[in-house]
Amino acid sequence: MSETKQLSALVLVADGSEEIETVTPLDVLVRAGFTTVKSVGVNLKNPLYAQCSRGIKIIPDIPSPHEIPDRLVDAADILILPGGAPGAKTFCQSDDVLRLVREFRNEGKWVAAICAGTTALVESVKSPHAQGEAAKKCKVTSHPSVKQEIMDAGWSYADDNERIVVDGKVITSRGPGTALLFSLTIVEKLAGKAKRDEVQGPMICAETL
């Protein structure tokens, strides 16, 4: 595998997060040679693990946003928010998560959300603290179950056949079935098309990816 420039990612996880959407970016970004890929728990009932939407337990690398070392936040190139309705609701209600979303956007970093995770991006803009880039609405997609909520908030919503939407430095996607495409798009946008191809080939991905 060719060398990847120093890249770092933070992936949030809460009780009720969707397993595929959480684990797939963690897996794919490690394959792509990201220097640091860390999962971060958000308001977990049990501080040792997140109980995900299908009952699978995920032990986060960092138990809560409060415990992320400043150096990891500073170094991170992208913040990733998986879906799962209960997990996304937790993100939307977490001042720490919404602050991180705004911070990443204002610093010109990437934010990626999939499925219901897009609602946390929408929620981050509603705050009076949202200024500059973090106050801007963009074109997004999500799971169909939260489409109307996002449109009602005044965001531009992509055609239903668009599985991935990239607008500026915001990447959004639709659901568990698009998690691999979502993750490979993150690799391409941050590390280049050649790196994506290098990762995608050995994984024997469907040609439609």
Side-chain angles (χ1 to χ4, degrees), residues 57 83 90 101 127 129 138 140 144 163:
K57 297 179 176 67
T90 296
V101 172
S127 168
H129 298 294
C138 55
V140 296
R163 296 185 294 165

Side-chain angles (χ1 to χ4, degrees), residues 163 180-181 184 193 196-197 200-201 203-209:
R163 296 185 294 165
L180 184 53
L181 178 57
L184 289 168
K193 180 66 163 57
R196 173 186 172 150
D197 292 343
Q200 182 171 326
M203 293 180 73
I204 320 298
C205 298
E207 292 183 7
T208 53
L209 290 178

Side-chain angles (χ1 to χ4, degrees), residues 13 17-20 22-23 26 39 44 46 48-52 55-61:
V13 60
S17 289
E18 212 291 322
E19 289 88 336
I20 294 173
T22 304
V23 173
L26 291 167
S39 54
L44 303 179
N46 187 318
L48 298 179
Y49 60 81
Q51 178 103 12
C52 292
I56 294 174
K57 297 179 176 67
I58 294 178
I59 301 171
D61 298 304

Side-chain angles (χ1 to χ4, degrees), residues 7-12 36-40 62 64-80 96-97 99-111:
L7 290 170
S8 176
L10 297 176
V11 181
L12 304 182
T36 305
V37 182
K38 297 291 186 182
S39 54
V40 181
I62 301 169
S64 75
H66 291 294
E67 299 177 66
I68 308 173
D70 289 342
R71 60 178 176 80
L72 287 184
V73 176
D74 293 342
D77 299 283
I78 187 167
L79 179 70
I80 301 173
D96 290 325
V97 168
R99 174 184 52 78
L100 279 172
V101 172
R102 291 192 295 268
E103 182 178 321
F104 271 64
R105 294 189 70 194
N106 276 336
E107 292 183 3
K109 298 181 178 184
W110 290 86
V111 174

Side-chain angles (χ1 to χ4, degrees), residues 120-207:
L121 174 65
V122 171
E123 190 68 26
S124 73
V125 171
K126 296 179 181 178
S127 168
H129 298 294
Q131 299 177 357
E133 190 66 27
K136 295 180 181 178
K137 299 175 182 180
C138 55
K139 183 180 178 182
V140 296
T141 191
S142 70
H143 192 272
S145 63
V146 295
K147 175 181 178 179
Q148 193 60 50
E149 174 184 344
I150 292 167
M151 293 178 65
D152 288 346
W155 289 61
S156 175
Y157 201 91
D159 291 340
D160 290 343
N161 62 355
E162 293 186 61
R163 296 185 294 165
I164 301 289
V165 175
V166 181
D167 189 351
K169 287 196 170 182
V170 173
I171 302 170
T172 53
S173 189
R174 292 180 60 78
T178 65
L180 184 53
L181 178 57
F182 174 67
S183 303
L184 289 168
T185 300
I186 292 171
V187 172
E188 180 174 345
K189 293 302 177 183
L190 274 71
K193 180 66 163 57
K195 176 60 65 175
R196 173 186 172 150
D197 292 343
E198 182 180 310
V199 172
Q200 182 171 326
M203 293 180 73
I204 320 298
C205 298
E207 292 183 7

